[in-house]
Amino acid sequence: RAVVAVAVERLHGVTRERFLRDIYPRRKPVVLTGLELGTCTTKWTTDYLSQAEGSKEVKIHVSAVPQMDFLSKNFVYRTLPFDVFVQRAAEVKHKEYFLTEDEKYYLRSVGEDVRKDIADIRKQFPILAEDIHIPEYFEKEQFFSSVFRISSAGLQLWTHYDVMDNFLIQVTGKKRVVLYSPRDAPYLYLSGTKSEVLDVDNPDLEKYPLFVKAKRYQCVLEAGDVLFIPALWFHNVLSEEFGVALNVFWKHLPAESYDKTDTYGNKDPMAASRAIQILDRALKTLEELPEEYRDFYARRMVLRIQEKAYRNDYG
């Protein structure tokens, strides 16, 4: 069964004003092309990257299979000098390896202290930061993090959502991104912020029968493309080639809405976490009733949630 996907809109040369006026309020993904990103798009070859940041140690994901799964943790964390890592990630077969000769590598930059510091390319990769111009389509104080990413060809990341708006800036290489709307969450078999459906192209429909109801949006990012991913939109990223990207997250809710201990930009807003805790307590209370009553009052609760909290203007 061929998977039907809606193409994500591509817009060329969008100014900050136009983005904020026409695109941002729609809360839908869009690919922005032709933006001025600096010298990085021509400069960032494997040799230049290796030499620019040298042999500082980086912590990376290493996976024996192309589809990385955060729920089953089918990868290991290893440390390599940055220049060695770049050269290895760029090759298909490895002379030196941790797991298998065709293992895949993935770097997601983190702060100095992973528990306290957020990723910021200006701090972790200062030389490379000078080559890239980040489109500042948000206020300076809204900036949250800039995450430097490098992936082996063929590597696929699990489907997940983030709680902040972000730009995925594809500097070199090519990526396919599949996205799902927040309203399709009921069909994605969630475990926290992540979907259990690993293979979005050939899903196990016996295990995940509702997945067919999720509307698939898709785009291919070429070098120099910028994908706007609104908060709560699910995304699944497949690196079709070895590539380097920068992910920029910013806060569009008031600053106090976010969890202060969130260094990755994916912890639910404080009010949402509290609401989920309250719901868990309510469900625990229902267990005091016999099954027939529990079923009846649970259905009433669902109706109440739909009536009070669901949007009815989804077109």
Side-chain angles (χ1 to χ4, degrees), residues 23-89:
I23 298 162
Y24 196 49
R26 297 197 321 227
R27 313 296 302 153
K28 279 197 161 177
V30 63
V31 178
L32 306 172
T33 65
L35 297 187
E36 185 41 64
L37 299 174
T39 54
C40 57
T41 47
T42 48
K43 241 169 138 177
W44 285 7
T45 60
T46 49
D47 290 341
Y48 173 76
L49 290 168
S50 305
Q51 158 257 309
E53 295 288 351
S55 59
K56 68 159 136 216
E57 303 261 282
V58 285
K59 191 178 181 187
I60 52 169
H61 300 66
V62 183
S63 175
V65 294
Q67 280 174 334
M68 282 205 325
D69 178 4
F70 197 82
L71 297 172
S72 73
K73 296 278 195 295
N74 67 347
F75 52 85
V76 293
Y77 292 105
R78 290 290 180 266
T79 304
L80 278 177
F82 183 73
D83 50 0
V84 175
F85 157 69
V86 170
Q87 296 296 339
R88 277 213 214 168

Side-chain angles (χ1 to χ4, degrees), residues 63-275:
S63 175
V65 294
Q67 280 174 334
M68 282 205 325
D69 178 4
F70 197 82
L71 297 172
S72 73
K73 296 278 195 295
N74 67 347
F75 52 85
V76 293
Y77 292 105
R78 290 290 180 266
T79 304
L80 278 177
F82 183 73
D83 50 0
V84 175
F85 157 69
V86 170
Q87 296 296 339
R88 277 213 214 168
E91 55 189 35
V92 178
K93 284 267 188 283
H94 315 293
K95 286 191 181 66
E96 293 181 40
Y97 50 84
F98 297 108
L99 307 170
T100 62
E101 64 172 11
D102 54 358
E103 65 194 14
K104 307 287 182 196
Y105 298 92
Y106 172 58
L107 167 71
R108 182 227 188 268
S109 65
V110 290
E112 283 68 34
D113 178 336
V114 185
R115 288 179 302 281
K116 290 206 287 282
D117 302 325
I118 54 170
D120 185 339
I121 191 174
R122 293 166 297 192
K123 291 179 185 157
Q124 284 100 40
F125 299 93
I127 296 162
L128 296 178
E130 288 174 18
D131 300 335
I132 187 161
H133 172 74
I134 295 170
E136 295 199 359
Y137 286 23
F138 46 89
E139 300 301 325
K140 283 226 181 327
E141 60 275 11
Q142 288 179 287
F143 171 83
F144 175 71
S145 66
S146 50
V147 181
F148 185 62
R149 300 180 189 270
I150 296 183
S151 308
S152 292
L155 182 86
Q156 188 167 13
L157 286 181
W158 54 88
T159 305
H160 67 284
Y161 71 87
D162 300 293
V163 300
M164 292 183 198
D165 289 338
N166 72 87
F167 279 146
L168 176 54
I169 303 167
Q170 191 64 24
V171 181
T172 69
K174 202 162 133 183
K175 274 198 180 93
R176 183 198 75 175
V177 187
V178 172
L179 302 112
Y180 301 97
S181 156
R183 62 178 301 199
D184 281 346
Y187 315 131
L188 297 178
Y189 298 87
L190 297 187
S191 177
T193 60
K194 300 158 190 76
S195 167
E196 288 176 20
V197 186
L198 215 51
D199 191 340
V200 294
D201 299 307
N202 298 291
D204 179 344
L205 295 179
E206 284 193 5
K207 201 171 176 188
Y208 309 116
L210 294 177
F211 186 68
V212 290
K213 293 188 172 191
K215 185 174 177 181
R216 175 186 176 120
Y217 294 79
Q218 188 170 308
C219 60
V220 172
L221 300 182
E222 306 277 355
D225 288 348
V226 177
L227 172 62
F228 166 52
I229 307 177
L232 310 183
W233 272 76
F234 295 87
H235 43 289
N236 177 291
V237 181
L238 170 66
S239 295
E240 297 191 348
E241 300 167 350
F242 163 78
V244 184
L246 185 70
N247 224 184
V248 183
F249 292 85
W250 69 92
K251 302 173 176 182
H252 75 290
L253 303 177
E256 62 277 9
S257 308
Y258 299 99
D259 188 327
K260 294 278 181 288
T261 66
D262 186 7
T263 54
Y264 285 95
N266 61 4
K267 284 193 178 174
D268 292 314
M270 303 292 278
S273 297
R274 287 199 308 274

